């Protein structure tokens, strides 16, 4: 299943259709419409949060759904346990995205155990990593895709304002599984640069699907 999906994603855009807690956009129907709009615009896949939204999105679009489940806001909270991962598979996710950083998981499990459980349930795994070593380890533990999602976001790591294209290039040259560029990709030009650096495909979220955050950016720019 990995190879056909990788072929479908090659050189194309994945749109992250999410909204943070408290945001007016954080309604299942709204997020599903967002996913449908992304599909209509040419997205090859969508990335959505929580089983309810995954199930509703799977029923509404024809492109693959990458599911994750954010539970909490500190430590490992992107699909932190096997239970979370299997709930996403049950909801219909073709790919389960999960934190694959070196930090301990809240239930004491390992990333390899999560991969094994998801594969046994018939889905694929996208490892969200923050460093080269984490990406290489995730690939060795069976991840089907490795994403640069968490580069610059793990406590203690240097803050960044641009996509980590160096990490994309280093991983693409070193691991046998496809690399997906994600994080701070704000323009079509940056997305194209990520593909040139070796990414299979590119995930864009805020620059497309976050009107609240984008409005704040314009407001800040107009403030003396």
């Amino acid at each position: 299943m990995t190879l056909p999906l990788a072929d479908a994603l090659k050189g194309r855009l994945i749109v992250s259709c999410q909204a943070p807690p408290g945001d007016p956009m954080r309604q299942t129907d709204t997020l599903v419409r967002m996913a449908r709009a992304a599909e209509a615009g040419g997205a090859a896949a969508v990335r959505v949060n929580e089983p309810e939204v995954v199930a509703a999105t799977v029923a509404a679009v024809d492109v693959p759904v990458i599911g994750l489940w954010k539970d909490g806001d500190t430590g490992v909270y992107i699909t932190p346990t096997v239970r979370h991962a299997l709930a996403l598979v049950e909801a219909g996710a073709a790919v389960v995205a999960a934190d694959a950083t070196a930090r301990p998981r809240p239930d004491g499990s390992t990333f390899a155990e999560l991969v094994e459980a998801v594969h046994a349930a018939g889905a694929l795994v996208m490892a969200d990593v923050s460093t080269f070593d984490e990406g290489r380890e995730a690939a060795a533990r069976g991840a089907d895709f490795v994403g640069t999602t968490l580069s610059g976001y793990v406590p203690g790591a240097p803050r960044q304002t641009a996509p980590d294209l160096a990490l994309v290039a280093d991983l693409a040259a070193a691991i046998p599984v496809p690399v997906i560029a994600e994080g701070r990709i704000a323009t079509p030009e940056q997305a194209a640069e990520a593909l040139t650096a070796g990414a299979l495909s590119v995930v864009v979220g805020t620059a497309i699907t976050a009107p609240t955050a984008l409005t704040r950016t314009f407001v800040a720019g107009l403030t003396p």
Side-chain angles (χ1 to χ4, degrees):
M1 184 176 178
T2 308
L3 288 177
L5 182 55
D7 287 343
L9 297 178
K10 184 174 177 60
R12 299 186 65 193
L13 176 68
I14 300 167
V15 177
S16 181
C17 300
Q18 301 180 54
D23 192 289
M25 301 290 286
R26 196 180 174 105
Q27 302 288 335
T28 298
D29 180 65
T30 300
L31 296 169
V32 169
R33 288 175 182 272
M34 191 185 293
R36 290 177 60 197
E39 179 183 29
V46 292
R47 178 171 159 123
V48 300
N49 176 40
E50 297 184 344
E52 176 185 335
V53 183
V54 169
T57 303
V58 168
V61 302
D62 293 324
V63 296
V65 174
I66 301 171
L68 62 147
W69 187 351
K70 292 180 178 177
D71 192 354
D73 56 9
T74 58
V76 174
Y77 66 90
I78 298 178
T79 319
T81 71
V82 171
R83 173 181 67 83
H84 290 81
L86 292 180
L88 294 166
V89 179
E90 184 176 354
V95 182
V96 172
D99 185 311
T101 63
R103 298 173 294 178
R105 311 186 78 82
D107 64 346
S109 66
T110 66
F111 178 72
E113 290 170 338
L114 183 147
V115 171
E116 182 178 8
V118 170
H119 283 172
L124 304 177
V125 175
M126 175 178 170
D128 291 350
V129 305
S130 66
T131 67
F132 174 79
D133 287 342
E134 289 169 353
R136 185 169 55 184
E137 181 71 10
R141 294 292 175 262
D144 302 285
F145 303 94
V146 171
T148 57
T149 317
L150 293 173
S151 172
Y153 294 111
V154 173
R159 302 298 293 178
Q160 301 179 47
T161 58
D164 194 345
L165 299 183
L167 179 59
V168 171
D170 289 346
L171 285 172
I175 64 176
V177 302
V179 175
I180 296 178
E182 183 173 7
R184 299 175 301 278
I185 297 172
T187 67
E189 292 75 18
Q190 289 178 333
E193 289 171 2
L195 294 181
T196 300
L200 173 79
S201 56
V202 178
V203 176
V204 177
T206 300
I208 295 175
T209 60
T212 304
L214 293 171
T215 300
R216 289 187 181 125
T217 300
F218 276 90
V219 169
L222 296 175
T223 302

